[in-house]
Amino acid sequence: MGTLTSCGFIPLKSEFRSNPVRRAFRETIHYHALKRLRSTCFPTFTHTLPHPSNFPAFRCSATANNNDDNRNDVVEGEAERPPSDSSNATTTTTQERRDDAFNSEKSAPPSPSPRSSLTSLGPTYSNFQVDSFKLMELLGPEKVDPADVKLIKDKLFGYSTFWVTKEEPFGDLGEGILFIGNLRGKREDIFSKLQNLLVEVTGDKYNLFMVEEPDADSPDPRGGPRVSFGLLRKEVSEPGPTTLWQYVIALLLFLLTIGSSVELGIASQINRLPPEVVKYLTDPNAVEAPDMQLLFPFVESALPLAYGVLGVLLFHEVGHFLAAFPKQVKLSIPFFIPNITLGSFGAITQFKSLLPDRSTKVDISLAGPFAGAVLSFSMFTVGLLLSSNPDAAGDLVQVPSMLFQGSLLLGLISRATLGYAAMHAATVAIHPLVIAGWCGLTIQAFNMLPVGCLDGGRAVQGAFGKGELMGFGLTTYTLLGLGVIGGPLSLPWGLYVILCQRTPEKPCLNDVTEVGTWRKTLVAAAIFLVAFTLLPVWDELAEELGIGLVNVL
């Protein structure tokens, strides 16, 4: 099998080194490099560098590793090897073959096809291929300066703080340094002291992380896990600012969410809509679309429900921001996800600054769903009370009773409030606030599922750790895939999480100190309520509880 031969590549701007696609590209290059390469590279300044951020072109050379021992093709740039103890004939033949290969390459006219060199160089590749290890280094994020590492070890660490015994790569791509050693005091006090010393020594250049020591043989003698300290450049570890295109996308998604919320309000009046519109919306075999202008008279009456759904979404985001502000944590603008069934799937809100500790992660993550759930449950309760009030009969809408089988918790509350006679029927007359509150509570429950970067995933990661989040996430994916939770929305929600929210949140600066017992209890209780909210009621249980009119054979 041959390896890469001589090559060159153009200068790379420094901005390209932080491109988000670099990880997948680096992993692919790294795999092929480990499998096929044994090469040497040296810089050749074949052009004038217009700017210091550009890199010099490289030319690479490598030996051809061939399974056939009788083929010793020479690659450009390969050093001459000393003659072996074999016969002169063999040595002469080998030398002649090297000369022939060199002369054929030298005299061959240039060809526009990179495969033309294969005829003279045997099992080698084109001249445009690169040394993968050097390319990975150029495309990767900027690493920690070795001089700074030495300075930090001398000024920060020692007998009174943290005695360093070993150094390892740190970060997703090994761009940082992980200091492993022995702690010399209380971890929180030492970490605070090291952070202050780091600013004095290097300025505002690096971020210091306190993480659990990987593959530790034993816990810390003072209690808790053994800790290590990771060092990363700020431009590498901190999230980037929100771009103009992200603002534009967020605005477009918000407008679409308004539209989907209004559509939900129109769909809730299905008993009042024209028959041709109802048939088109409910019959999967319907092909010809009716005149949608028939829906315009129902838009005004759909607005209260749309306002309720949008209000829940905004309350959710306000909760996040109110919890983040005292901690000086920056958040991105929310990217709302429209959905015609619930009005919205919620919003994607990113952390735009590093979190100081795990308690902050739990507080910010729980604040949004808590605020949205309070407003949603208030609307749901008020709506149920108005539904049983004869004076509000003119504002009620008829909905199929089987809709109350979508949630065990909400179905039981509705059954207890409206009574058996009202619920044990084909349709139920309810106030639009019930629908708004139901959708709002379902949205909060979906976002509190313990998986990925959802609010529930962040809360579980902060309260119990990244390892426990993986177990919760696997269980959640299984339940969604089997349709045990979420009902008909389990598949679209699972796809949304896999595509947009599957990656766990990045570690905090202090990712070791555990949260208090009451925070863990609050997270566990929230997950328990989420399960009961998203757990549908099967027919036999629904008939026994009187939730809907079910014919059980």
Side-chain angles (χ1 to χ4, degrees):
M1 182 68 69
T3 59
L4 298 185
T5 61
S6 60
C7 56
F9 56 86
I10 61 174
L12 299 175
K13 292 288 185 180
S14 59
E15 293 83 0
F16 181 70
R17 302 175 65 184
S18 60
N19 195 294
V21 303
R22 65 181 184 271
R23 181 180 302 175
F25 183 77
R26 285 164 57 92
E27 290 176 353
T28 303
I29 292 296
H30 185 61
Y31 168 77
H32 290 289
L34 293 177
K35 184 178 178 183
R36 313 181 72 166
L37 291 184
R38 180 166 60 86
S39 58
T40 307
C41 281
F42 53 92
T44 57
F45 293 86
T46 57
H47 57 278
T48 303
L49 299 179
H51 191 273
S53 64
N54 289 339
F55 296 95
F58 274 75
R59 291 186 59 83
C60 308
S61 61
T63 59
N65 300 327
N66 210 320
N67 293 331
D68 187 358
D69 295 336
N70 295 326
R71 298 187 63 179
N72 296 320
D73 298 317
V74 177
V75 183
E76 176 189 357
E78 182 181 17
E80 289 291 339
R81 300 176 179 176
S84 62
D85 295 335
S86 60
S87 62
N88 294 333
T90 304
T91 304
T92 304
T93 302
T94 303
Q95 182 65 32
E96 289 176 353
R97 291 188 61 185
R98 292 177 178 176
D99 294 339
D100 292 342
F102 177 78
N103 293 332
S104 62
E105 182 187 8
K106 183 176 180 180
S107 59
S111 172
S113 174
R115 297 182 178 271
S116 61
S117 60
L118 297 176
T119 58
S120 60
L121 295 180
T124 55
Y125 294 86
S126 70
N127 290 334
F128 295 98
Q129 295 169 318
V130 298
D131 180 348
S132 299
F133 294 110
K134 292 293 183 180
L135 183 61
M136 287 165 56
E137 183 178 354
L138 290 174
L139 294 179
E142 192 172 0
K143 295 186 176 182
V144 178
D145 191 347
D148 290 338
V149 174
K150 185 178 183 304
L151 180 63
I152 290 171
K153 288 180 63 177
D154 294 339
K155 299 295 185 180
L156 269 69
F157 302 117
Y159 286 106
S160 61
T161 55
F162 185 79
W163 183 255
V164 178
T165 59
K166 186 170 59 172
E167 300 173 19
E168 292 183 358
F170 181 68
D172 294 336
L173 303 174
E175 64 273 23
I177 299 294
L178 181 66
F179 299 99
I180 299 177
N182 300 316
L183 199 63
R184 300 294 184 175
K186 187 178 179 181
R187 58 171 60 95
E188 290 79 10
D189 297 338
I190 296 298
F191 181 57
S192 178
K193 182 178 180 180
L194 291 178
Q195 285 182 310
N196 295 331
L197 289 175
L198 181 64
V199 175
E200 295 178 4
V201 173
T202 62
D204 195 27
K205 188 176 181 181
Y206 295 102
N207 280 319
L208 188 67
F209 296 81
M210 184 169 67
V211 297
E212 293 186 17
E213 180 180 323
D215 303 325
D217 298 332
S218 60
D220 193 296
R222 296 176 179 83
R226 298 183 65 90
V227 302
S228 301
F229 294 95
L231 186 70
L232 287 172
R233 285 183 175 271
K234 285 203 169 185
E235 59 267 26
V236 173
S237 58
E238 294 184 352
T242 304
T243 63
L244 177 61
W245 280 111
Q246 289 176 324
Y247 282 109
V248 173
I249 293 174
L251 177 60
L252 292 177
L253 288 175
F254 182 66
L255 294 177
L256 291 175
T257 303
I258 293 177
S260 62
S261 301
V262 173
E263 188 274 340
L264 175 63
I266 295 175
S268 67
Q269 310 172 65
I270 193 169
N271 60 318
R272 303 177 183 174
L273 298 178
E276 57 269 28
V277 176
V278 175
K279 181 179 180 181
Y280 178 75
L281 295 177
T282 58
D283 188 0
N285 298 322
V287 179
E288 185 177 356
D291 186 6
M292 290 302 170
Q293 292 183 356
L294 298 174
L295 297 177
F296 289 165
F298 301 93
V299 172
E300 183 177 357
S301 57
L303 292 180
L305 178 56
Y307 292 151
V309 173
L310 293 174
V312 170
L313 296 176
L314 294 178
F315 256 65
H316 181 113
E317 300 307 317
V318 169
H320 283 314
F321 279 91
L322 290 179
F325 181 76
K327 303 289 186 177
Q328 298 182 348
V329 174
K330 299 178 181 178
L331 300 177
S332 71
I333 54 174
F335 297 86
F336 293 99
I337 309 299
N339 178 263
I340 59 175
T341 304
L342 297 175
S344 174
F345 268 158
I348 299 175
T349 305
Q350 302 170 332
F351 290 117
K352 285 300 181 180
S353 59
L354 294 174
L355 300 177
D357 49 46
R358 291 165 57 177
S359 296
T360 302
K361 180 182 291 185
V362 173
D363 295 344
I364 297 176
S365 300
L366 290 180
F370 180 77
V374 168
L375 179 61
S376 299
F377 189 76
S378 300
M379 291 191 298
F380 181 71
T381 304
V382 172
L384 288 177
L385 295 177
L386 292 176
S387 300
S388 58
N389 185 0
D391 297 334
D395 298 328
L396 304 184
V397 296
Q398 297 287 333
V399 298
S401 60
M402 63 177 299
L403 292 179
F404 290 89
Q405 296 178 225
S407 169
L408 177 59
L409 178 62
L410 302 183
L412 289 175
I413 296 175
S414 302
R415 164 69 175 79
T417 305
L418 300 179
Y420 178 84
M423 293 288 296
H424 199 260
T427 60
V428 181
I430 58 175
H431 195 275
L433 283 177
V434 176
I435 302 177
W438 186 295
C439 293
L441 288 171
T442 305
I443 293 171
Q444 310 312 311
F446 271 121
N447 280 275
M448 269 302 296
L449 285 175
V451 60
C453 265
L454 297 177
D455 291 329
R458 289 170 172 172
V460 169
Q461 183 180 356
F464 303 105
K466 190 174 182 180
E468 285 72 10
L469 175 61
M470 295 178 63
F472 275 101
L474 181 60
T475 303
T476 302
Y477 282 130
T478 303
L479 295 178
L480 288 173
L482 297 176
V484 177
I485 59 175
L489 290 174
S490 59
L491 181 58
W493 179 262
L495 293 176
Y496 158 69
V497 173
I498 291 176
L499 293 176
C500 302
Q501 300 276 60
R502 66 182 183 274
T503 306
E505 192 61 53
K506 291 184 178 180
C508 309
L509 291 174
N510 178 0
D511 208 46
V512 177
T513 302
E514 295 187 356
V515 302
T517 304
W518 71 270
R519 284 189 173 92
K520 292 183 178 181
T521 304
L522 188 60
V523 172
I527 299 300
F528 179 80
L529 292 175
V530 165
F532 270 86
T533 302
L534 298 180
L535 184 65
V537 185
W538 56 94
D539 291 343
E540 292 80 1
L541 181 60
E543 179 68 19
E544 183 177 349
L545 296 177
I547 302 177
L549 183 62
V550 182
N551 294 322
V552 181
L553 300 179

